Every structure is written in structure tokens, then in C-alpha cells.
């Protein structure tokens, strides 16, 4: 018997269990509808616990998964009484074993499993760093081929906690190309025979994998949080927790109120923040990201720089913000660095730049009165524990098999 079906959010057309990114009638998102309406936790160490709402048949056995804990010291510093930290990274003392140090691994495990279960052999994706590392790691574990296109600024992020395998094909781009150029090149490679495009936010395995951060929080706290904080680049994480919250609401045991999304971008590159200030569904490039490439170069948290985020699409971030009466923040580099230092000193674990941006947005929210002191708040620290990981593991750099001068390069010339 089937475990889930896919449904188009616009026309309602239904599809079976396949690796499908788009509806044949329109461009709205597809969403998975699971047969199990109640979350039944499985006896697995990581993300596989949430098998009820992952679009895979076989339970995932990896120990990588999200963790949630109640903050004491940092919460006290902020004057909050119910602050929970969702941590995706490596922190064995707290039971966190994501060895590529970001929530992108929560996307990679179910995606690669769905690919395998639907007969796919090779997957193609673009990455600013963390996503590529996560998929490369799962490729090293499973032997499934992955083709990763990364801008030069992200190449140093492509390390692994094990020796890279031949199933990993890294294509680096020359300086001057950004994440969006990588997306464009990956889109062309994905059209080659035998290649499956990973799909970004359109990939339901990716969204529902990330949604486990909300599931873990609800199970740990006993209800959904009131407020949800995260830094966004494409916004996939925000969309994912919104969808997970709707499933929790329908389950009935975790409250009926969907958490308010409080999301942050990093100045100077803040297109979704700008559009949301005016409650606009469309991002207008000349207004919202003027001199985008220059802005991207100046951004501290580089993984938050996506020039074509799934913001206006039906089922995308604009809808998630609208539905939850959400708030967006624009955080400066200095605010992020200051928040990172404060958090690390108090909580005792290192966090990645996007998590620093999320932390800074919480500080801003407290100052602006956008949260009440006793509300239940979930701060999603989507990446961290890199320094901690280096104490336990040797890290290996992935070497590119090819370098692309630009996104329009001849694929014959690339020779991959
Ligand atoms: C640690 C971390 N946080 C946040 C983000 C932003 O996620 P998204 O692009 O899904 O909005 C990323 C993206 O790579 C990330 O690696």
C-alpha cells in the first residue's frame, strides 16, 4: 500500500509516489499527503524517528537528526522563560550527530533514499556550500552518484568527515560566479540523460526532511512553539516548518496554532526582507536586490544569498509568512558576529554564520517587543558544531573534477 501521495496546491491534481518536482498543469508546489495522520515515532536514532511524515518506504537508520533542548543561560541573558534551541549539527554531548554540521543533511538523507526507491541513479544540485557537503556525505555513505555545482566562494565548504568517494562529482565555478550561476549550470547538467535534478524547495523529500526540526521540537516540548526563528536564503526551511506545523495541527496532540515565522536575512543581501516589508508577493530585482552580485560578495553568511528564492510561488515563503502573520529581519554582519560570540560563550558550542544571523534576529525581536517573555520560542540553529567536529574527526577536502568559467559553458568542454 502507498505511504503518501503528491497533490498540487493549485489544481489539486494528484500523483503517486514518484520523484516529481512539478505539476503538469501549473507551477504551484506539490505537497505530500501522508496516509498516517498521526505522528508515530519510530525506534530510530536520528531523522528516521519521524518516518510517518517522510516520503520514503524504508526507515532511515542514520544517527543524524535534529535535536531540541531548553536553553537556560542564554534564555536568562535574554529574559526569556521558554526558549528552546533546535540544533542541527555536531554536538555529541547533547545527542546531535550531524557530521556535516547543518540541517541540509536532513534534506539529503530522505532525498537520496527517495531517489533510490524511485529508480534514480544520479542526482544534480547546486550549492553555496552546506547543501553540497550534506549530499556528498550521503553519497559517500550510499554510493549513489551526485553531481554538485558550487561557486568558488563555497568550494572550501566542501569537506567531509570521511574520505571522498568516486560517486561524488564536484564542479567548481570560477571567481565572479555566484550561487545563482551555480543553480543555472546545475539546471543544464540535470538535463543530460540519466541525471535527476534535485529540485531545491520543489523537492518534497527535502522539505519534509527539514520539517523534522519542527516535529522534534513539538515532541520535545509537548506542543508546537508560539514563535519560530531561522535565517533564510531560499526560505525552504521556513516553508518546511510551516508545512510540518500544519500536519501537527491536524494530528491534534500538539496544539492548533501554527507558529509565527520570524525569519532573517543578512545585509546587504535581503531581497525577501525588502519584498515582505511591502507585503509584496513579487521580488523586484531593481528594488529588492540592486547590484545583487556585489551585495552577495559583501554578505557574511554566504549561504543566505539566493537570487531566485521560492518566495512568490504558490505554497512558497510569501504564503507561509502570510499564513502565520510572519515577520522578517535584516541583520548586519556586525550584529551577527556579536550574537555568535554571545551565544557561543554562554551555550558552549560553535555556530555557523547563518545560525549567528538567526540568533541576532532573536535579539532584535526581544528588543522590539516582537516576542513575549513567557512565550514558547524555537530558535532554529540550522548549522553548528564545526569546531567541535574537528576535535573528533579528520576532515577531507573534496577535489573538483571540473571547473566552469560561466553557467553557459559547453557541457562537452566541461567533460564530466
Ligand atoms: C546552516 C544554514 N542555515 C540556513 C540556511 C538557509 O536555508 P534556506 O536556503 O533553505 O533558506 C542554510 C542554507 O544553506 C544553511 O546552511
Amino acid at each position: 500500500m502507498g505511504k503518501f501521495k503528491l497533490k498540487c496546491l493549485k489544481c489539486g491534481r494528484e500523483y503517486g509516489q514518484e520523484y516529481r518536482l512539478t505539476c503538469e498543469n501549473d507551477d504551484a508546489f506539490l505537497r505530500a499527503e501522508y496516509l498516517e495522520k498521526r505522528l508515530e515515532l519510530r525506534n530510530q536514532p536520528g531523522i528516521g524517528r519521524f518516518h510517518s511524515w517522510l516520503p520514503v518506504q524504508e526507515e532511515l537508520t542514520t544517527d543524524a537528526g535534529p535535536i531540541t533542548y531548553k536553553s537556560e543561560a542564554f534564555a536568562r541573558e535574554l529574559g526569556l522563560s521558554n526558549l528552546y534551541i533546535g540544533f542541527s549539527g555536531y554536538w555529541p554531548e547533547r545527542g546531535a550527530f550531524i557530521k556535516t554540521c547543518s540541517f541540509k543533511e536532513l534534506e539529503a538523507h530522505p532525498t537520496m533514499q527517495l531517489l533510490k526507491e524511485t529508480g534514480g541513479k544520479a542526482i544534480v544540485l547546486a550549492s553555496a556550500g552546506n547543501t553540497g557537503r550534506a549530499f556528498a556525505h550521503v553519497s559517500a555513505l550510499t554510493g549513489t552518484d551526485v553531481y554538485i555545482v558550487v561557486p568558488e566562494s563555497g568550494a572550501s565548504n566542501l569537506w567531509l568527515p570521511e574520505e571522498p568517494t568516486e560517486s561524488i562529482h564536484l564542479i567548481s565555478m570560477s571567481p565572479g560566479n555566484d550561487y545563482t550561476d551555480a543553480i543555472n549550470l546545475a539546471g543544464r547538467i540535470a538535463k543530460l540523460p540519466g541525471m535527476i535534478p534535485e529540485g531545491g524547495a520543489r523537492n518534497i523529500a527535502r522539505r519534509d526532511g527539514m520539517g523534522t526540526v519542527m516535529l522534534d521540537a513539538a515532541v520535545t516540548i509537548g506542543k508546537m512553539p508560539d514563535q519560530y526563528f531561522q535565517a533564510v536564503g531560499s526560505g525552504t526551511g521556513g516553508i518546511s516548518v510551516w508545512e510540518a506545523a500544519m500536519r501537527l495541527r491536524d494530528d491534534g496532540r500538539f496544539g492548533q496554532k501554527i507558529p509565527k515565522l520570524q525569519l532573517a536575512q543578512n545585509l546587504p543581501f535581503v531581497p525577501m526582507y525588502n519584498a515582505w516589508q511591502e507585503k509584496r508577493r513579487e521580488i523586484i530585482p531593481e528594488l529588492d536586490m540592486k547590484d545583487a552580485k556585489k551585495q552577495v560578495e559583501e554578505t557574511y553568511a554566504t549561504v543566505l544569498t539566493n537570487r531566485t528564492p521560492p518566495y512568490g510561488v504558490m505554497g512558497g515563503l510569501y504564503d507561509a509568512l502570510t499564513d502565520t502573520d510572519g515577520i522578517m529581519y535584516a541583520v548586519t554582519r556586525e550584529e551577527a558576529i556579536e550574537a555568535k560570540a554571545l551565544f557561543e560563550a554562554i551555550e558552549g558550542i560553535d555556530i555557523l554564520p547563518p545560525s549567528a544571523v538567526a540568533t541576532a534576529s532573536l535579539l532584535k525581536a526581544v528588543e522590539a517587543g516582537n516576542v513575549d517573555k513567557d512565550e514558547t520560542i524555537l530558535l532554529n540553529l540550522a548549522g553548528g558544531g564545526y569546531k567541535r567536529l574537528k576535535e573528533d574527526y579528520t576532515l577531507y577536502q573534496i577535489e573538483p573534477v571540473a571547473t566552469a568559467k560561466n553557467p553557459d559553458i559547453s557541457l562537452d568542454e566541461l567533460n564530466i
Side-chain angles (χ1 to χ4, degrees), residues 88 101-104 107 127-131 133 179 206 210 230-238 272 303-304 306 352-355 380-384:
S88 295
C101 296
S102 93
F103 70 167
K104 296 291 165 180
E107 306 179 331
S127 170
N130 294 348
T131 311
R133 187 166 71 243
Y179 179 35
R206 216 171 142 160
M210 264 192 173
Q230 194 210 304
V232 290
S234 70
T236 310
M272 293 193 278
V303 297
L304 302 180
N306 183 329
L352 297 186
S355 303
N380 182 358
L381 298 183

Side-chain angles (χ1 to χ4, degrees), residues 318-333:
Y318 174 86
D319 287 337
L321 286 164
T322 304
D323 189 46
T324 64
D325 193 21
I327 300 178
M328 286 211 65
Y329 298 86
V331 167
T332 65
R333 168 189 293 260

Side-chain angles (χ1 to χ4, degrees), residues 30-179:
L30 300 174
R31 190 176 288 160
E33 286 193 357
Y34 294 98
L35 215 63
E36 288 184 30
K37 300 292 177 206
R38 247 176 96 89
L39 179 65
E40 300 290 351
L41 295 180
R42 304 302 206 270
N43 189 21
Q44 295 293 354
I47 184 176
R49 259 182 112 201
F50 304 105
H51 187 70
S52 295
W53 296 344
L54 290 173
V56 293
Q57 303 298 323
E58 220 177 280
E59 288 181 18
L60 296 167
T61 56
T62 174
D63 60 359
I67 63 143
T68 311
Y69 72 93
K70 188 166 187 192
S71 164
E72 286 174 15
F74 190 61
R76 207 173 311 122
E77 172 78 22
L78 270 59
L80 299 172
S81 59
N82 280 306
L83 173 64
Y84 288 82
I85 308 288
F87 183 85
S88 295
Y90 186 73
W91 195 358
E93 293 75 14
R94 287 212 182 259
F97 294 102
I98 297 184
K99 295 198 266 306
T100 56
C101 296
S102 93
F103 70 167
K104 296 291 165 180
E105 210 180 303
L106 303 176
E107 306 179 331
H109 286 284
T111 298
M112 297 287 263
Q113 180 64 24
L114 178 62
L115 181 79
K116 186 175 140 201
E117 291 177 1
T118 51
K121 297 276 181 279
I123 197 161
V124 185
L125 62 128
S127 170
N130 294 348
T131 311
R133 187 166 71 243
F135 276 81
H137 175 59
V138 180
S139 170
L141 297 179
T142 60
T144 305
D145 282 298
V146 350
Y147 289 78
I148 303 164
V149 186
V150 65
E152 197 242 4
S153 63
S156 63
N157 291 328
L158 269 287
W159 49 260
L160 285 180
E162 62 267 311
E163 288 202 41
T165 51
E166 286 190 353
S167 56
I168 304 165
H169 312 264
L170 176 64
I171 298 121
S172 156
M173 296 195 76
S174 312
N177 293 286
D178 69 3
Y179 179 35

